[in-house]
Every structure is written in C-alpha cells, then in structure tokens.
Amino acid sequence: MMPWLVAHRGAMAEAPENTRSAFDRALSFPVDGIEFDVQSSRDGMPVIFHDDTLQKINGSRDSAADYTFDELADMDWGRWFSPAHAGEKLLTLEEVLALYAHRTRLMVEIKPAPDMMHEALYRKLARSVAIQMRTSVPGEFQDNLYVLSFDPELLRIVLEHDPDRKCVLNLEHAVETVSGIGMDAAALCGWGLEFSRLNADFVALSRRCGLKIMTYSCNSRETVEQALQWGVDVIMTDDPGGMFSLIRQRA
Ligand code: G3P
Ligand code: CA
C-alpha cells in the first residue's frame, strides 16, 4: 500500500508554516493529510504555532504561553516568511478543525510545555485538545483526526479523556525495544521519527508491534525513495507539491 503523503505544518516550503495559507496551499495538492502544531496561550487557548519562542514573530524569547490569546491574535504571523504574507492571522485549533476536519486527515501535534513553569498549563491543553476534537467535529469525520506528541504524559491525558483517539508518540531517536518509551505501546496507533534517524531495524520493530511509522520531513527524491523502500506508513513533507509527483510516479 502506498504511504500517505502528509503536508508538514502545511505546505511550509511555500507559505508561513501552520497558517491558513500553508494549509490551503497544501490542499491544492492531493495530499492525504496535514500535520500542525498546537500550543497554549497564557489563558489556555489552543493555538497553532510550532516554535518554543516568538523570535520570528516579535523578536522575543518569550513563548506563546507568555501571552494571552488576544495579545497573540494582534500579532502578524506571516510577515517573517515574506512581505507578501504580512497580515496572516494566528489560527486556533477550533478554527482549523472547523475549516479542515471534513476535508482531510489532521495530525494534531501537541508540543511539550516550553519550560517547567508551563507544565500544568500544557496538561490542561492536552485535555482541551482531546475534548475539542471529540465534541466539535461531527462523528463521520472523527476518523480523520490523530494526536501526536513527543510528550507521553500529554498523550496519556488525551487518551484519558478520549480513549478512542488515535495517538502517535514522536520519538527523539529510534528505539530497539518498546520498553522505555514512557507509555504503554498498546495505547498507540503509531510513532513518529525524523527521517535521518529512521533505520531498517526500527521499521522491523514497528511491524512486529503493529505500530504505524510516520516520518518527517522527506523533501528530496532520495529521502522519499528510501522511505518508500522501508515501507513507512506516512511520509511528511514540507513540500507536498514537489514530493507528490515523485510518489505518484512510482505507483
Ligand atoms: O509531528 C512530527 C514532526 O512535526 C515533529 O517535529 O519539530 O517539526 O514539530 P517538529
Ligand atoms: Ca510538528
């Protein structure tokens, strides 16, 4: 079976990552899904942003969690990418679910808390994400929704509130056994790994465990070819337009 091709942070090679422009651009190609990042504002709003700091947005070392949602919503989320994208709005999880959950698969990555001070806020974030995904998206599209995280504790909270949600643990490196990943592998539907850390042994382990492999980011012919040869389940790319044609040429 061909792997799914998922747009990493939207079509981030062509538009500011994690914005409506990037998601709409991704969906102009026949992708199988979109991956994006969720963080918390200071007042608990799930917002779509990747980085630990707002360096590229306002030049500061603050995190999104240092600002209220209203303060974040007043910022410009596209100018850093190019003047043509000035005025891009910050998206909330609620908006993304309403705009896209009926159109494609959504891989919702809950980022770990930026520091220890914000850990309680991020535990609340995981609970909000789980509840919002289950309650705001009609049942017929629930199967489109996945939750990803590097933090097993946040996935445990998601599963506590929504035991049927498909959860994917992002790993820092390939493991040789499932012990030590920080949670029960049976609760997961898959795991995620950066392409440069993937290897044949890890793929074999995943197959034995019945876990799907999602890898990121494959942005060249060579990486896509290797991922296809290993038989991964999901290829995330920053450049869905370029990569789509490569994958379909092989089909
Ligand atoms: O969820 C897979 C991948 O996006 C994790 O890494 O840093 O690109 O969010 P990052
Ligand atoms: Ca991500």
Side-chain angles (χ1 to χ4, degrees), residues 3-244:
W4 292 341
L5 184 67
V6 168
H8 186 229
R9 309 183 205 165
M12 64 178 281
E14 298 186 65
E17 61 191 36
N18 285 323
T19 65
R20 194 161 174 175
S21 295
F23 298 159
D24 288 343
R25 182 67 181 155
L27 289 182
S28 73
F29 304 105
V31 294
D32 299 295
I34 294 173
E35 187 268 1
F36 59 90
D37 304 287
V38 182
Q39 302 205 54
S40 181
S41 66
R42 193 170 79 215
D43 47 354
M45 178 70 84
V47 295
I48 312 307
F49 184 56
H50 173 270
D51 298 357
D52 282 350
T53 74
L54 295 187
Q55 176 73 41
K56 65 167 69 136
I57 305 300
N58 67 2
S60 79
R61 298 181 61 81
D62 301 334
S63 69
D66 292 322
Y67 295 86
T68 65
F69 172 67
D70 286 347
E71 288 167 340
L72 293 171
D74 272 348
M75 297 176 191
D76 185 319
W77 295 83
R79 186 182 290 278
W80 67 271
F81 186 83
S82 78
H85 287 90
E88 189 82 42
K89 300 286 179 213
L90 175 70
L91 284 168
T92 63
L93 176 64
E94 189 181 3
E95 288 170 325
V96 177
L97 294 175
L99 286 165
Y100 302 107
H102 59 293
R103 298 176 61 190
T104 193
R105 294 182 187 87
L106 298 179
M107 313 277 169
V108 182
E109 188 191 349
I110 309 176
K111 293 317 255 185
D115 51 52
M116 281 172 63
M117 254 172 43
H118 291 107
E119 280 176 1
L121 182 69
Y122 272 60
R123 286 194 292 272
K124 281 189 200 151
L125 172 67
R127 176 178 179 277
S128 303
V129 169
I131 293 171
Q132 207 169 93
M133 288 173 74
R134 184 54 68 183
T135 57
S136 75
V137 173
E140 64 203 284
F141 303 117
Q142 282 293 325
D143 215 35
N144 278 351
L145 306 180
Y146 292 72
V147 175
L148 287 56
S149 188
F150 281 101
D151 185 340
E153 174 62 15
L154 299 183
L155 292 183
R156 263 198 299 270
I157 293 169
V158 168
L159 288 166
E160 188 183 311
H161 293 281
D162 187 357
D164 293 330
R165 180 61 60 214
K166 286 172 290 192
C167 284
V168 175
L169 181 64
N170 282 336
L171 298 173
E172 298 288 355
H173 52 80
V175 292
E176 287 165 17
T177 65
V178 290
S179 59
I181 63 172
M183 71 181 296
D184 175 12
L188 297 170
C189 83
W191 43 26
L193 193 61
E194 196 177 358
F195 174 80
S196 62
R197 297 172 185 217
L198 201 55
N199 59 58
D201 289 344
F202 181 76
V203 175
L205 173 66
S206 304
R207 289 287 160 261
R208 286 200 299 279
C209 301
L211 290 172
K212 290 187 187 307
I213 305 176
M214 304 192 176
T215 191
Y216 60 96
S217 299
C218 295
N219 298 324
S220 67
R221 176 181 290 275
E222 293 70 31
T223 54
V224 170
E225 296 269 340
Q226 180 65 78
L228 287 169
Q229 194 192 323
W230 275 326
V232 307
D233 301 282
V234 175
I235 294 176
M236 293 188 191
T237 180
D238 306 346
D239 181 17
M243 295 307 106
F244 186 83

